[in-house]
Amino acid sequence: MNNAITLTVDADGIAVATMDLPGRPMNVVGDELMTALAHVVERVVSDDAIRGLVLTSGKADFCAGGDLDRMSKWQDPREPFEASMAMKAVLRRMETMGKPVVAAIGGHALGGGLEIALACHARIVLDDPKLKLGQPEVKLGLLPGGGGTVRLPRLLGIQTALQIMGEGADIAPAKALSMGLVTELAQDRDDLLAKARAWCVAHPKAKQPWDEARFRFPGGDSRSPAVAQLWSIAPSVAAAKSYGNYPAVTHIMSSVFEGGLLGFDAASAVESRYFAACAMSQESRNMIGTLWYQLNAIKKGASRPAKVPPSKVTKLGVLGAGMMGAGIAYVAAKAGIDVVLLDTSIELAEKGKAHSHGLLDKAVRKGRSTPEKRDAVLARIKPTTAYEDLAGCDLVIEAVFEDRAVKADVTRQAEAAIGPDAVFASNTSTLPITSLAQASGRPSHFVGLHFFSPVDRMPLVEIIVGRQTSDETLARGFDFVLQIGKTPIVVNDSRGFYTSRVFATYVMEGITMLEEGVHPRHVEQAGLQAGMPMPPLALQDEVSLSLSLHVIEQTKKDFAAEGRAYQPHPAESVIRQLCEIGRVGKKAGQGFYDYDDDGKRLWPGLARLYPPAAAQPPQRELIDRLLFVQANEAARCLEEGVLRSVADGNIGSIFGWGFAPFHGGALQFIDAMGPKAFVARARELAAAHGARFEPAAIVVAAAEQGRRLAG
Ligand code: NAD
């Protein structure tokens, strides 16, 4: 036996098995843990002195889920199938051994961790609102392959089980208790073990409900009329959300449906087959690669200069209390940082603080916070008009109007008030950082921190390194982004940086299609089918056409000043035309869509301005155009050194503008199909639609050398 689980037996004959994988920060389900659990079960079965088993953890978490390192090595579908069957054989033996088993859960029990707990006869859980229970597999393109799709429907009913596994959301202990997912809550760790032991003593002949002769699915099995009704709509509801891009969602439903017609063991085998299909899918490889490995690498500081010691911001200055400044003040104060929020009048500064008040009141109303916590956060935000109040700030972020002169003015005034070591950051969305730094007396301490709107919800901050930004300044910006719980990507200075530049290609491609005579509904549908969160024309309305026109004009001016030839994008004429007739977007109530209280509808006048062609292209062509144009631009960013790593490119695309997550990001899109196939298709698209599809040289080189962008 390995030492992944230690076993002690008390005087009452209750054995306590403590899972504690050596050398790992968390317990994960793999061979080591399951072999140890199998030994524990045999010992409990064979030792007459043992009357029951309590399964708990020696780590902060109960068990974090499957071992992704192991899964990433699987090459053949037989491997996941066999691993899943082997795990379930141990769990089945445990729940049918004739002695009570209780999970004593003092920390997160997720994925395979919750599945182990579901194979126990009772689950006692520490009543800590931060503790998470759930089956998040779907978020990585997987399916609960440790009996989740078999036991959850039998415990909670098919509908609830589908919800838990289809959404992958975390469930807090109190909610889990009300759903019937857990048996009892405990106040502290002593109480947890005491209650688990007591449950064993009180239920010496514990049996799972599904092993009772008269077992019935709560709410009915897949044959029952009520559930049949659910089955007639659930797949269409899921397809309407996922456009068929997430096979795991379909596999989860199929496994639950088929399992709901079968006995326990047959259902288990069916589940393992669907698990293997998920584990082998390109979608799960993409999501695990990016949203697990690359994201973790970024969070551990892969893009941060390693030599600079870690830093913390204790006092932050925010210049401009508008939409962005107010949001930045809120997230910083929530992270425990004192914030000075400065605007041109005290009313505007107070209004910025009121934004935090509103968000916090909502959290209190929803039970996610308390009045005391709200007041503590608000007390950290000091609205002001006085630059002297910035004294002592470690970091100042400006979020004033997007105007060089205004930005230069606030930079000088703030620098006069802060210490020589403080970092100054700009939240500009378009102006090159190197040029803004010209207003600074110490450009080495100047950096771009590009937040996204709405700041409280968007997870990404794009850090822009100007020509003179020092490594120390970059590291301090990086540490601050992590301190406020956001994910940083690091890019070099360039027009539109990375995110705005690539995002724009998506919207502009959609508008170009419209101009060519593609029906606007087909354009919008293609955006959603491609896996983007919003279709291109609707997105352009959100951003506003007037803002895009402003950026276009500015770019043209800059090109002229630099003596470079400017090539207008085919979409520009459409943006100009709509702006001329006042259809500037959602804020005006009219753009590509008409807006009113009932929602939005495509503007019928579009058909007059851009008559749909008699022959419409296939949707696949439109989807490819929308995805290839983004991926190719992202590759150009890598080629030009705007992007410093593939991980930053992938995470930036998913977290920044919602690039189809199942592709694993804009660069993984290329790696997944292989640079060779990408180059071939991009050349076809270039021949049909223009030079913007001509594949980036870096992809052509990768194709020729038979390697991937990620190496
Ligand atoms: P906003 O108009 O909502 O807010 C700007 C605020 O700055 C206003 O409250 C204004 O009173 C204040 N201000 C103007 N001049 C000032 C001065 N001299 N001193 C102090 N305060 C002054 O604009 P916003 O949308 O919050 O954008 C702010 C910055 O963030 C811009 O650079 C913008 O490009 C950038 N940005 C915006 C978004 C977005 O989605 N809106 C996203 C990323 C970055």
Side-chain angles (χ1 to χ4, degrees), residues 259-275:
L261 300 171
L262 298 168
F264 192 96
D265 293 338
S268 259
V270 165
E271 176 188 87
S272 293
R273 294 207 177 91
Y274 282 116
F275 174 69

Side-chain angles (χ1 to χ4, degrees), residues 506-555:
Y506 166 64
V507 174
M508 297 296 260
E509 196 60 31
I511 299 173
T512 306
M513 292 172 183
L514 175 75
E515 200 263 341
E516 289 168 0
V518 179
H519 194 291
R521 237 188 292 282
H522 296 185
V523 175
E524 297 296 77
Q525 186 68 7
L528 296 172
Q529 287 172 312
M532 301 298 291
M534 232 197 202
L537 303 179
L539 200 48
Q540 178 64 73
D541 271 0
E542 292 280 333
V543 173
S544 102
L545 285 84
S546 46
L547 181 67
S548 296
L549 190 59
H550 176 77
V551 174
I552 290 168
E553 298 299 356
Q554 185 63 48
T555 310

Side-chain angles (χ1 to χ4, degrees), residues 168-431:
D170 302 329
I171 307 167
K175 183 157 180 227
L177 180 71
S178 70
M179 294 168 88
L181 180 61
V182 311
T183 319
E184 242 182 293
L185 298 184
Q187 293 320 309
D188 53 41
R189 279 177 188 269
D190 289 342
D191 189 32
L192 186 67
L193 283 180
K195 283 196 164 130
R197 282 196 173 96
W199 200 95
C200 281
V201 172
H203 301 82
K205 300 222 171 323
K207 224 178 183 187
Q208 295 285 29
W210 42 89
D211 289 322
E212 300 286 354
R214 298 170 154 271
F215 171 70
R216 295 275 176 279
F217 274 67
D221 63 17
S222 289
R223 274 181 219 92
S224 79
V227 174
Q229 219 169 18
L230 168 77
W231 285 127
S232 69
I233 53 165
S236 7
V237 171
K241 271 198 213 154
S242 70
Y243 292 89
N245 290 325
Y246 294 86
V249 174
T250 314
H251 289 332
I252 288 170
M253 279 190 291
S254 302
S255 187
V256 172
F257 171 73
E258 291 172 40
L261 300 171
L262 298 168
F264 192 96
D265 293 338
S268 259
V270 165
E271 176 188 87
S272 293
R273 294 207 177 91
Y274 282 116
F275 174 69
C278 285
M280 287 292 116
S281 71
Q282 185 61 50
E283 289 82 358
S284 80
R285 303 243 142 142
N286 291 341
M287 287 193 271
I288 292 171
T290 300
L291 298 172
W292 180 254
Y293 287 106
Q294 295 185 351
L295 182 59
N296 285 344
I298 284 176
K299 286 190 171 162
K300 281 191 192 136
S303 326
R304 180 192 186 281
K307 283 195 214 98
V308 183
S311 65
K312 239 182 164 171
V313 171
T314 51
K315 185 174 174 189
L316 172 75
V318 179
L319 311 181
M323 187 166 88
M324 298 305 288
I328 296 167
Y330 168 73
V331 292
K334 227 175 132 221
I337 299 171
D338 288 331
V339 181
V340 176
L341 183 57
L342 183 146
D343 210 301
T344 46
S345 75
I346 194 68
E347 290 75 24
L348 285 170
E350 294 278 6
K351 191 169 160 231
K353 178 171 174 171
H355 172 70
S356 291
H357 213 309
L359 289 174
L360 291 161
D361 277 345
K362 199 167 157 198
V364 172
R365 267 201 311 278
K366 294 203 159 169
R368 282 189 271 110
S369 186
T370 62
E372 296 72 39
K373 283 187 190 152
R374 172 195 62 200
D375 295 347
V377 174
L378 287 175
R380 283 187 210 116
I381 304 177
K382 179 181 164 66
T384 187
T385 57
Y387 278 88
E388 304 86 80
D389 289 338
L390 297 175
C393 283
D394 325 83
L395 171 68
V396 172
I397 303 174
E398 70 79 9
V400 298
F401 298 140
E402 190 77 339
D403 179 298
R404 279 180 186 285
V406 179
K407 289 199 187 290
D409 178 50
V410 300
T411 305
R412 283 189 209 103
Q413 294 203 57
E415 285 188 356
I418 55 181
D421 277 348
V423 169
F424 189 94
S426 173
N427 178 45
T428 178
S429 37
T430 53
L431 303 167

Side-chain angles (χ1 to χ4, degrees), residues 544-705:
S544 102
L545 285 84
S546 46
L547 181 67
S548 296
L549 190 59
H550 176 77
V551 174
I552 290 168
E553 298 299 356
Q554 185 63 48
T555 310
K556 259 167 94 171
K557 265 193 223 151
D558 291 351
F559 268 58
E562 294 161 21
R564 291 165 62 193
Y566 179 78
Q567 263 301 332
H569 192 285
E572 278 185 35
S573 60
V574 176
I575 294 179
R576 206 176 296 279
Q577 198 170 14
L578 288 187
C579 282
E580 274 163 15
I581 55 172
R583 301 199 66 93
V584 295
K586 188 176 174 187
K587 65 178 180 189
Q590 50 173 21
F592 291 106
Y593 287 78
D594 281 324
Y595 296 83
D596 60 26
D597 294 343
D598 295 335
K600 65 175 192 280
R601 282 158 314 282
L602 277 162
W603 176 45
L606 285 179
R608 221 178 338 100
L609 288 182
Y610 314 106
Q616 291 287 310
Q619 284 301 103
R620 187 70 253 168
E621 180 83 1
L622 305 182
I623 295 167
D624 277 1
R625 282 174 67 176
L626 292 173
L627 292 171
F628 272 73
V629 79
Q630 296 179 72
N632 204 30
E633 194 68 15
R636 286 199 187 114
C637 288
L638 190 64
E639 182 179 312
E640 292 166 21
V642 173
L643 275 177
R644 297 169 150 211
S645 77
V646 169
D648 282 340
N650 284 332
I651 290 294
S653 68
I654 296 179
F655 285 14
W657 74 93
F659 184 89
F662 64 95
H663 283 307
L667 294 172
Q668 176 60 21
F669 176 77
I670 298 174
D671 276 347
M673 81 175 67
K676 212 166 156 197
F678 181 88
V679 166
R681 179 71 177 128
R683 284 187 174 144
E684 277 174 23
L685 292 170
H689 305 291
R692 59 190 181 282
F693 289 101
E694 208 47 70
I698 197 169
V699 189
V700 176
E704 280 165 3
Q705 292 156 18

